[in-house]
Amino acid sequence: MPEKPRVLAVQNEAGGGPGRFGEWLAAAGVAVDVATAFDGSALPPRLEHDGLIVLGGGYLPDDDGRAPWLPAARALVEQALARSVPFFGICLGGQMLASVGGGKVRGDAGAPEHGSTSITVRAEAADDVVFCGLPAAVPAIENHIDAITALPPGAVWLAETGRCPYQAFRLGDRAWGVQFHPEARPERIREWDVENARRRGLDLDRLYAAAVIDDPLARAAWGDVAARFAAVVKGGRP
């Protein structure tokens, strides 16, 4: 029996694993190897996997002083782009794709987004192999104050919100970045820092309850996106 395709997932903080996105990939026949870079685990110098995922974290893409593994993570993203290895970046990972590709990311930019948020899917998504077929608006959990402020040259803008326009984009034919968290279940909100939430005027109980209501739609839509990304990975090189 042929070996399953494998993707490498770079984890940037203790609570920021691949979650159900990884489960959806596994269900679609793609294995996920998690590299816990945040705890000092070394990232490979060369990308040998069939795909790459960079997950979220409370850093900017070039915050090397606080997160010394980020140069190695950026190098992997550069390799994925150069060699057309399928890539999916979530939150920090999406910002890293934008930055590596020549776009701009700013700290504490625009209006922050926390909790389940309605993502507007743009018309350009209809022709995208991963984002096609989505409803006009899909909820997703957000938790960010940093944002992409300019997409890379040639990027295709796929989804937006009024508070943070660049919610999803594609760079080239096989690299996607999102600002939101398709991998996160509503329970993730229960793990957020209570004091930090209070300082920002957030009611975690209310945010959790809203996310639970929105979750059936989110789960269906982002599960489809994960399955389509898995199909790209399984399709091999173009």
Side-chain angles (χ1 to χ4, degrees):
M1 179 179 295
E3 186 177 347
K4 284 184 179 181
R6 310 191 74 84
V7 300
L8 177 67
V10 178
Q11 184 173 340
N12 296 294
E13 61 184 11
R20 62 186 179 187
F21 202 88
E23 295 170 7
W24 291 326
L25 292 179
V30 173
V32 180
D33 298 325
V34 180
T36 53
F38 68 92
D39 67 5
S41 299
L43 295 177
R46 179 172 171 79
L47 181 60
E48 303 286 358
H49 283 70
D50 304 294
L52 176 66
I53 298 171
V54 176
L55 298 162
Y59 309 101
L60 288 167
D62 59 354
D63 204 353
D64 301 353
R66 292 198 302 143
W69 64 88
L70 289 179
R74 292 195 301 272
L76 292 174
V77 176
E78 291 169 355
Q79 290 178 47
L81 288 173
R83 294 164 43 208
S84 293
V85 176
F87 173 82
F88 201 96
I90 293 173
C91 197
L92 168 59
Q95 295 171 0
M96 188 176 292
L97 175 64
S99 180
V100 167
K104 295 181 181 179
V105 179
R106 284 180 50 204
D108 203 3
E113 295 174 308
H114 304 285
S116 187
T117 303
S118 181
I119 310 296
T120 299
V121 178
R122 291 171 56 88
E124 292 89 337
D127 297 323
D128 186 82
V129 297
V130 167
F131 279 77
C132 62
L134 292 176
V138 185
I141 290 175
E142 301 257 17
N143 189 28
H144 71 97
I145 59 173
D146 307 328
I148 298 165
T149 57
L151 290 178
V156 179
W157 187 9
L158 300 173
E160 62 187 321
T161 65
R163 295 166 70 94
C164 180
Y166 301 123
Q167 290 288 335
F169 67 99
R170 187 185 75 247
L171 186 57
D173 293 329
R174 295 157 71 82
W176 291 266
V178 301
Q179 180 59 67
F180 52 87
H181 287 274
E183 86 288 4
R185 295 178 172 85
E187 289 74 18
R188 175 79 73 84
I189 294 171
R190 297 286 200 191
E191 301 170 4
W192 291 357
D193 183 272
V194 174
E195 283 304 315
N196 184 55
R198 185 174 295 118
R199 286 194 298 270
R200 294 187 173 278
L202 303 175
D203 183 334
L204 295 186
D205 290 335
R206 182 182 62 80
L207 292 180
Y208 171 73
V212 169
I213 292 171
D214 289 345
D215 193 55
L217 291 175
R219 187 170 61 244
W222 307 128
D224 285 347
V225 165
R228 295 190 194 106
F229 180 69
V232 174
V233 173
K234 292 166 70 176
R237 297 292 175 83

